[in-house]
Amino acid sequence: MIEHLQDVMMISIAELVECRDENTGGHVKRTAKYVEILTKALVERNIYSDILNKDYVKDMIRSAPLHDVGKIGINDKTLLKNGYLDEKEFEFMKTHSKLGGETIQRMINQTDGESFLYIAKDMAQSHHEKWNGTGYPDGLKEEEIPLSARVMAIADVYDALTTKRPYKEAFTHDKAVEIILDGKGIAFDPVITEVFEEINSEFELARQIL
């Protein structure tokens, strides 16, 4: 009962953030599904088995909807801009990851520190980090980046690429896959990227359904 209530609250918070931006409708639901697909594929292949135990996997899938919660702190002028962001606006937009981490940390401080909240914080704060250390907000690299955030990075980018935005048309599934594979070992964990290459058709199927 308590766990169900937690899930309902997380989804409600995530959808509240998302409803501010009509251009990303469904992003929360789709990325959560992609995270589930990719994580289960890793488990099936016994990859990162030292981290991906039953509880970690469950908590990661549960907390995925909160990865963009920091966007609640981005003003409408920037969040809803109908076009490309200029440099100053982009730098401001990038703060959403840090804001997300701080928001969830406050939730941790006010509770008994539920395990899923720590994973939610990792995903919110670090899903824009890059394997080669050029991401944000902390410039983490390789396995310094929490595993949950490395999985979310691929899910998040795939959805961004295959969704129409004011500044671009939606890319095809094949083009999105090509871009992600080009980022292997640069933006994305090379091992997770290889698994994505194997199972990317499941992403396409989920995208068509959701």
Side-chain angles (χ1 to χ4, degrees), residues 2 9 20 24 35 45 54 65 68-69 78 105-106 112 120 143 155 161 168 174-175 187 208:
I2 293 177
M9 291 178 65
R20 291 185 59 217
T24 60
V35 164
R45 290 160 176 77
K54 183 178 179 181
D68 270 342
V69 68
T78 303
Q105 182 61 54
R106 286 194 291 272
D112 292 330
E143 294 190 9
L161 291 172
K168 74 169 188 67
D174 289 344
K175 182 62 178 177
Q208 293 170 349

Side-chain angles (χ1 to χ4, degrees), residues 108-173:
I108 292 171
N109 294 344
Q110 296 299 317
T111 65
D112 292 330
E114 292 281 353
S115 59
F116 76 90
L117 287 176
Y118 289 98
I119 295 175
K121 178 187 174 183
D122 285 343
M123 297 177 90
Q125 180 152 327
S126 301
H127 67 283
H128 287 294
E129 301 287 358
K130 294 184 178 181
W131 187 254
N132 67 0
T134 62
Y136 62 88
D138 301 309
L140 303 179
K141 65 180 180 179
E142 299 181 2
E143 294 190 9
E144 292 175 350
I145 307 167
L147 179 57
S148 57
R150 290 169 4 227
V151 173
M152 175 55 80
I154 289 179
D156 189 56
V157 169
Y158 177 82
D159 191 64
L161 291 172
T162 55
T163 304
K164 178 179 171 60
R165 298 289 172 82
Y167 51 86
K168 74 169 188 67
E169 294 297 319
F171 290 161
T172 65
H173 167 78

Side-chain angles (χ1 to χ4, degrees), residues 33-63:
K33 185 60 179 178
Y34 300 149
V35 164
E36 179 180 358
I37 291 169
L38 190 49
T39 302
K40 288 183 175 180
L42 292 170
V43 171
E44 288 170 1
R45 290 160 176 77
N46 204 33
I47 295 171
Y48 292 127
S49 57
D50 57 323
I51 300 174
L52 291 175
N53 57 50
K54 183 178 179 181
D55 289 338
Y56 188 96
V57 170
K58 179 182 177 181
D59 287 344
M60 183 163 65
I61 294 171
R62 289 180 67 204
S63 59

Side-chain angles (χ1 to χ4, degrees), residues 62-132:
R62 289 180 67 204
S63 59
L66 290 178
H67 75 279
D68 270 342
V69 68
K71 286 185 176 178
I72 200 71
I74 305 300
N75 61 40
D76 287 349
K77 180 181 178 182
T78 303
L79 187 65
L80 306 181
K81 184 174 181 179
N82 189 24
Y84 284 102
L85 301 178
D86 62 29
E87 184 177 353
K88 184 177 181 180
E89 291 167 335
F90 182 59
E91 288 301 313
F92 180 46
M93 177 65 84
K94 285 165 60 176
T95 65
H96 82 273
S97 54
K98 195 76 170 180
L99 289 171
E102 292 171 351
T103 297
I104 298 174
Q105 182 61 54
R106 286 194 291 272
M107 295 168 67
I108 292 171
N109 294 344
Q110 296 299 317
T111 65
D112 292 330
E114 292 281 353
S115 59
F116 76 90
L117 287 176
Y118 289 98
I119 295 175
K121 178 187 174 183
D122 285 343
M123 297 177 90
Q125 180 152 327
S126 301
H127 67 283
H128 287 294
E129 301 287 358
K130 294 184 178 181
W131 187 254
N132 67 0

